[in-house]
Amino acid sequence: MKRFIIPTLLASLTLGLTQNSSRCRCLYGQKCWPSSSEFSSLESQLSQPLIYPIPTASGCYPLSSPSGNCSDIQTNWFNGSWRADHPGSMDMTNYESFIFKNGSISACYFNTSLDTPCEQGNIPVIGVDARSVGDVQTAVKFASSHNLRMVIKNTGHDYGGRSAARNAFMLWTHHLNNITYNSTFVPAGAPQSETYDAITLGAGVLWKDAYSAAAANGRLMIGGISGGGDVGAAGGWLQGGGHSAFAPLHGLGVDNVVEFNLVTASGEFVTANAYRHSDLFWALRGGGGGTWGVVTSVTYKTHPIFSVTAVFFNATSNSTNTMKKLFTEFVRIHPSLSDSNIGGYATAANTSLFFFYTLPNSTDAAANASFSSFFEVAHNLTNEGLNIEMQYTTTYDTFEQWYKALFSGASGGGGSIVELASRLLPTALFAKDKYEDFADKLFDVVGAGLVWNLVAGGAVSRVDPDSTGLNPAWRHSLVEAVWGHAGWPEGATYGEIERARARLSATMAKVSSIMPGAGSYFNEGSIFEPTPQQTYFGSHYRKLKQIKKKYDPTGLFIVAAGVGSEDWGDDLNCRRF
C-alpha cells in the first residue's frame, strides 16, 4: 500500500483498537484494516489502479518544496468543476477538516501562512475509481467483507459533507459518465406500450453535460441549476429530491426519474422502477443520497423545448422598515406566481432584495404583467429611500440559451466554508390572512441574509405526497428558504467553530417557532437538525427505515442525518446498540 504523504495523527492510529468489530466499522490505522496484499488483490480485480485521495491544498505543501502544482491549486481553488475532478476535494472545505473530541483539528489549509502542517483531515485515505458496474460491485463487496466505513463520492458538491469521512474507504463514481438518449425508452418489466422520451445518465454525469445532451436531441431536462453546472445529475441531488427553477412547471427531480440502476449492499446489481424493486424505487426518490446503494445510472424523462423569459430585480435601502415593506409584498405575490408556473431564486436581507425568476413559454410583456403589482409597490417605496438598481426582463428562445447565458461561464461555488439550514415554507402561510404576520416574523429572524428558492408549488404540489419517498412537506410548500452563517476563517479554533454553529442553530430554532413542524430539504439543510427523521422525511420515515433494513441490513451506507443514522454514534463509525 502506498505511503501517504499527509501525516496522520497518532490518535487515529490507535483509535478503536479494542472496539467490538461487530459494532464498529474498521478504519485506517486499526488492526482490522486490510493489508497491502489484500488491497493489491482488490486492485487486480478493478479496471483502474486504486486512488489515494488527498486534501485539495496538499500540493502546496511542504512549503519549502511543494509536492504538487500549487499555482494550479491557487488558480482553481474556487472552481467547482475543477474540484469535481479531484477525489479528495470537497466543494465546502470545512468538510475536508476533522475535529477530534478533544477539540484539536486535522486539516490542510489553503492559507499556507498559517504555518500549520498539512494533514489528511476528513478525506478518505484510499478508494476505487469506478469505471464500470463491475468495479462498483467489487468495491462494495470488498468494503462489506472487511467491514469498512465507506463513502460514495461524485463531485463533492455536498452541503452535508456526506461524501467524505476520516480514515474511510471511498467509492468514486465521477467517471461513470455515459449518456444515452432513447426516444422510446421502456422501463424494465413494463409493457412495451409504456414508452418515454428519455435520457440515461451515468452516476458521474454533471448537469451541464446532461443539458447539452438533451439539447442535442431537441429535448429538455429538469435538473439542478448552479454556476458552472458542476452538480451531479444522478446522485445526491436527485435522491434528496432535486429542485429546479422549472419545478413549478414539470415537478422535482424525483417526479421526472423513470428508472435507477444500482449496486446494493450485498453487491447485487439491480434495476429499480415502478415494476421491479418498486419499494426501493420509492425510497430512492427522496430518501437521501448515499443511503440505498451505489447508483450507477439514472433514466429521466425529457420534455419539449420551450422559451424562457427571465425577470431580474434588485433593490437596496438603508431603511430596514422600507425593506420589510418590500419583502412583505414579495411574499404576498408568491401564490399567484406559483400558479403561473413561475420559478427561480432570490436573496433577501434587511438592506436588499434581489431575484431572478423564470417564466416558461412567455414574453417580456406577460412577465412584466405577472409582477406589475410588486413593481408598483417597489416604485412607490422609492419615496421612502428604496433604490431600484435593476429591473428588466429578457426572453431566451430556449432553456439551453438561458442556461448558457447565465450559468455556463461561471466557475461554481466551491472552496468556501459553508454550513446551511433550511425550511420548506408551507403554502398555508402565504394565505391572505397570514402572509403579513409571517413575512414580518421571518424578516426579523433572518434579515441578515436569506436565500429564497421558488422551486415548489405548481406541478410539485399536484403530485400525490405518498407516491415517492420524498418528505410530504414538499407537496404542501411554496418556497425553500435557506440561510447559513459566515463560516469561520481557516485555522479557527474548535471554540470559534462551535460558536458559529450555535448561532446557526439558534436561528434555526427561531425559524421553527414561526412554522412549527415545517420540513427541510435534505440536500440543503443542517446536519445538526435536532429531529432529522421528522424534519427531512416526515411521515415517510418509518417506511423508509423498513426498506433500509431490507436492502442494507448491516448499515453499509450510512450518512449524516440520513435514514438509519440514529442507530449510529455521532461519528457514524459505531452502532449505539
Side-chain angles (χ1 to χ4, degrees), residues 185-192 194 257-262 264 268-285 547 550-551:
F185 178 84
V186 179
Q192 289 300 304
E194 183 179 333
V257 65
V258 176
E259 185 170 276
F260 292 88
N261 286 312
L262 69 155
T264 63
E268 182 183 4
F269 178 63
V270 304
T271 295
N273 57 32
Y275 301 91
R276 295 183 177 176
H277 299 286
S278 59
D279 55 348
L280 186 55
F281 184 53
W282 183 87
L284 282 161
R285 290 177 293 157
I547 297 171
K550 175 181 176 180
Y551 288 96

Side-chain angles (χ1 to χ4, degrees), residues 310-322:
V311 181
F312 298 86
F313 178 87
N314 186 57
T316 61
S317 177
N318 292 325
S319 169
T320 299
N321 187 55
T322 298

